[in-house]
Amino acid sequence: MGKGSNVQKAQAARERNQKKLGKSPEERKEAAAKAAADAQAFMCTICRQTFMVNVKKELLAAHATAKHPTSTAAQCFTALVGWDPNAPEPAAVAAVKPKKKKKEEVSLDSLLDAGLSIGKKKKTS
C-alpha cells in the first residue's frame, strides 16, 4: 500500500463531507430565486394575490368570479385573455394502439381431417 490508498481515502472522505454540507451559498440563491419566480407566476392585477406556476386556468377564473365579481377574469389575469371556460380542454395526445384481434382457434378435428398432425413426428429408428 503506497500513497495512493491514502489519497483515495482522503478524496472519499472529502466527498462524504461535501454531501453532508449540502448546497453552496450560490446554489441556494439560485434555488430561492427560481422558487420565488415560480411562486409568483400568476398575479391578480386587482388584489395582487399570487398563484403558483402549475395552477390551472379554472382556478384563476374561480378566483376572479369569487373575489372580484364586477371584473372579468381577463381583467384579473392576463393569462386568461381569450380563454373560454366552456371550451373543452384539448385531449392529451396519446398513441392509441389498435386492439389485437384474437386468433381464431382451429379445432383439432379439422386439422386431423385435413391430414395435419398435432405435433412433430417422432423419428423411428
Side-chain angles (χ1 to χ4, degrees), residues 28-49:
R28 284 192 194 106
K29 285 181 184 178
E30 290 174 12
K34 183 182 180 304
D38 287 347
Q40 296 181 3
F42 297 104
M43 183 183 297
C44 177
T45 56
I46 297 171
C47 66
R48 310 298 283 176
Q49 182 176 351

Side-chain angles (χ1 to χ4, degrees), residues 18-115:
Q18 186 89 19
K19 287 180 184 177
K20 287 180 185 177
L21 292 176
K23 296 181 179 179
S24 68
E26 295 85 20
E27 291 172 334
R28 284 192 194 106
K29 285 181 184 178
E30 290 174 12
K34 183 182 180 304
D38 287 347
Q40 296 181 3
F42 297 104
M43 183 183 297
C44 177
T45 56
I46 297 171
C47 66
R48 310 298 283 176
Q49 182 176 351
T50 58
F51 293 88
M52 293 288 286
V53 70
N54 60 352
V55 71
K56 295 187 178 184
K57 291 185 178 182
E58 289 84 8
L59 184 68
L60 297 177
H63 166 82
T65 56
K67 301 287 183 178
H68 315 292
T70 58
S71 302
T72 63
Q75 289 173 338
C76 290
F77 299 99
T78 56
L80 295 181
V81 174
W83 178 73
D84 183 16
N86 298 326
E89 284 287 324
V93 178
V96 178
K97 294 181 181 177
K99 292 184 179 179
K100 293 182 179 179
K101 294 182 181 178
K102 290 185 179 180
K103 293 182 181 179
E104 293 181 20
E105 293 185 25
V106 179
S107 67
L108 295 178
D109 294 334
S110 63
L111 289 175
L112 291 174
D113 291 341

